[in-house]
Amino acid sequence: MKFTIAVLPGDGVGPEVIGEAVKALEAVGHKHGHAFEMRHGRIGGNAIDEFGTALPPETLALAKGSDAVLFGAVGGPKWDSPNATVRPEDGILGIRKELGLFANIRPVKAYPQLVNASPLKPNVVKGVDMIILRELTGGLYFGKPKRRWTTSRGRRGVDTMLYTEKEIARILRVGFDLARGRRKKLASVDKFNVLATGRLWREIATELGREYPDVELEHILVDNAAMQLVRNPARFDVMVAENTFGDILSDEAAVLGGSMGMLPSASLSDLPSAGKRAKGVGLYEPIHGTAPDIAGKGIANPMAAILSAAMMLRYSFGLDREAAAIEAAVEGVLAEGYRTQDIAGDGGQVVSTSKMGEVIVGRI
Ligand code: NAD
C-alpha cells in the first residue's frame, strides 16, 4: 500500500528522534511491501525564524494533504521571551484545531525491563498497560467566557467548562471502542458530585454503556482517579476524561512509564475499526517536549517517537501487523539491554539516539 506522511520534526530533540522514527517506518515499509512518501515541513520555533509564523500555510496544507502527520516537538528558550508576539506552541495548537483532532490517545506501558526506572515502587508499576484517552478540543481550555478583568474589589478571572452532548458522546465512543479491542474495561472520569458537566458526562457514559454490554464501565471521580493511578495503576485498561482532567492525569500517568522518552501518543478525528484506514488525518507525536537540556547531544531516547510511528501504522493506516513489528522490536532491544541515558538506571549498554534507532531497525 502507499501512504503519504507529513514529517514535522520541530525544534530541539524533535529532529533527532523523528529522524529515527522515519528510519523505522522505512524499514517496516521495506519489509512488508508498503511505500511511505515522507514530505518534510517546518513548524514551531524554526518556522518562526524562517517565515515569522509557527504554522506556515505550506505546512498546514502539507498536513491536510497527507494521510497522517508525524510530529516531533516545538519550543525552547530561544523563543520564550514574554514579549514575543508569536509562540512555537501556536504551531501545534493550530494544527490540532485545523485537523479537528478531538481524541488524544496516550498508551502507558511499564516495560518489565524498566520497572526500576519509575520513581514509584516496582510492585506498583509492574504490569501497567493502559491507555489514557483525553478529550482535546472542548471544555475549560476553549469555553467562553474566558477573560480576566479588574474591579474596585480586585482582579478577577473566568474560564468556562462547556461541553455539548455530541462532544461527550464522541469521545466516550472512542473510549468504548478502544476498550473493546483490549481488556474490555473503561474507566470514565468525571467530577459528578460537583460539576454540571460532570453529571452530564456520567449520564451519557451510562447511556452509551448499554450499547457496549461487553465492556465493563466504571465511573470514577477525578480525585480518586489521580490517587488510584499511583496506588494501583495496573487495574486500569482504558481511562477516558475531559480535556483538563485528561491533561493532568496523563502527565501523572507518564511517571509510570519510567521516562518521557518512552511514551508515544496519537491525536485523531475518528477511530477506524481495527484493520481499517482512518478517514481523517491523524497526528502522532512523542509526549515529551524539545528537551533543550539534551538537544544536539545525540543522547535523546527515540523510542517514544518510534512507538508513535507504530501508532500511526495501527490507527491511521490499519496496519496492525506492521505496528506490532515495531513494538516488538522496541521490546526486543530493551530485553537485549540497550538503553539511552534516561532509562539507564539499572545498567545495560548506554547508546546514542542513532545507535538505538539502528538496533531497532535491525530487529524490524
Ligand atoms: P521536556 O519533555 O522537553 O523535558 C523534560 C525532561 O525530560 C528533560 O529533563 C528532558 O531532558 C527529558 N526528556 C524529554 N524527552 C526526552 C527524550 N526523548 N529522551 C531523554 N530525555 C528526555 O519538557 P520541558 O523541559 O518542560 O519543555 C521543554 C520545551 O519543550 C519547552 O519549550 C516546552 O514548551 C516544549 N514542549 C513542547 C511540547 C510539544 O511540542 N508537544 C510538549 C511539552 C513541552
Side-chain angles (χ1 to χ4, degrees):
M1 292 173 85
K2 251 187 103 171
F3 302 92
T4 49
I5 301 173
V7 181
L8 312 179
D11 309 313
V13 297
E16 300 171 42
V17 297
I18 291 301
E20 301 311 318
V22 165
K23 286 184 204 160
L25 282 170
E26 279 165 351
V28 110
H30 185 70
K31 174 97 194 286
H32 295 263
H34 306 296
F36 300 119
E37 188 191 334
M38 311 283 178
R39 300 181 184 162
H40 284 72
R42 289 194 182 273
I43 190 166
N46 64 85
I48 293 176
D49 289 350
E50 195 169 326
F51 304 106
T53 167
L55 182 58
E58 306 84 64
T59 301
L60 184 57
L62 183 71
K64 284 185 167 172
S66 301
D67 293 311
V69 179
L70 183 62
F71 170 75
V74 291
K78 184 175 173 194
W79 304 280
D80 266 354
S81 157
N83 303 322
T85 50
V86 278
R87 295 164 47 80
E89 292 74 18
D90 298 341
I92 181 63
L93 293 177
I95 259 194
R96 282 181 188 152
K97 183 161 173 276
E98 288 287 332
L99 296 179
L101 305 173
F102 71 87
N104 180 234
I105 302 177
R106 284 191 183 186
V108 180
K109 189 165 172 170
Y111 290 93
Q113 299 83 3
L114 300 182
V115 288
N116 291 315
S118 170
L120 295 172
K121 291 193 182 107
N123 67 333
V124 173
V125 294
K126 195 166 152 256
V128 168
D129 181 2
M130 68 178 294
I131 285 179
I132 299 219
L133 174 64
R134 169 188 170 196
E135 201 289 327
L136 207 54
T137 52
L140 211 45
Y141 295 177
F142 297 96
K144 299 271 171 47
K146 172 187 270 308
R147 66 186 187 100
R148 47 174 293 173
W149 71 100
T150 305
T151 73
S152 55
R153 278 176 290 160
R155 286 169 289 180
R156 292 189 180 180
V158 63
D159 293 288
T160 305
M161 193 191 273
L162 173 73
Y163 267 108
T164 65
E165 176 173 358
K166 195 174 148 213
E167 286 173 317
I168 296 175
R170 70 179 181 178
I171 190 72
L172 282 167
R173 276 194 191 282
V174 174
F176 278 110
D177 287 336
L178 281 173
R180 197 167 246 178
R182 295 171 46 97
R183 300 196 306 275
K184 300 188 171 45
K185 284 166 62 179
L186 180 66
S188 169
V189 176
D190 61 42
K191 190 71 183 169
F192 167 82
N193 49 348
V194 182
L195 299 177
T197 46
R199 283 193 287 280
L200 181 62
W201 182 281
R202 189 171 290 205
E203 200 173 290
I204 295 171
T206 306
E207 288 163 10
L208 283 179
R210 293 187 198 113
E211 292 178 34
Y212 295 85
D214 52 324
V215 176
E216 184 193 321
L217 171 67
E218 172 194 14
H219 302 286
I220 183 162
L221 290 172
V222 61
D223 32 356
N224 188 23
M227 184 168 70
Q228 296 304 327
L229 271 178
V230 286
R231 274 185 77 168
N232 185 13
R235 80 182 183 84
F236 292 113
D237 180 16
V238 179
M239 178 182 273
V240 58
E242 64 84 40
N243 201 342
T244 308
F245 297 163
D247 189 4
I248 298 166
L249 294 175
S250 58
D251 266 24
E252 184 190 3
V255 171
L256 306 167
S259 165
M260 301 286 272
M262 292 302 302
L263 297 162
S265 79
S267 300
L268 306 178
S269 61
D270 68 309
L271 182 73
S273 3
K276 294 269 164 30
R277 283 176 85 144
K279 285 196 245 24
V281 181
L283 182 140
Y284 300 83
E285 57 176 314
I287 72 152
H288 61 74
T290 54
D293 51 337
I294 58 166
K297 296 185 179 160
I299 56 173
N301 185 346
M303 289 184 174
I306 291 171
L307 291 168
S308 301
M311 292 185 81
M312 174 188 290
L313 296 175
R314 176 169 292 120
Y315 293 117
S316 274
F317 303 161
L319 300 177
D320 280 351
R321 194 170 48 127
E322 292 78 348
I326 292 188
E327 288 157 357
V330 166
E331 287 212 34
V333 301
L334 287 174
E336 273 182 89
Y338 289 104
R339 300 284 186 271
T340 40
Q341 49 86 34
D342 56 309
I343 48 171
D346 269 359
Q349 187 185 344
V350 178
V351 295
S352 66
T353 309
S354 57
K355 178 70 184 171
M356 186 56 103
E358 191 186 303
V359 290
I360 291 171
V361 162
R363 279 214 155 230
I364 292 170

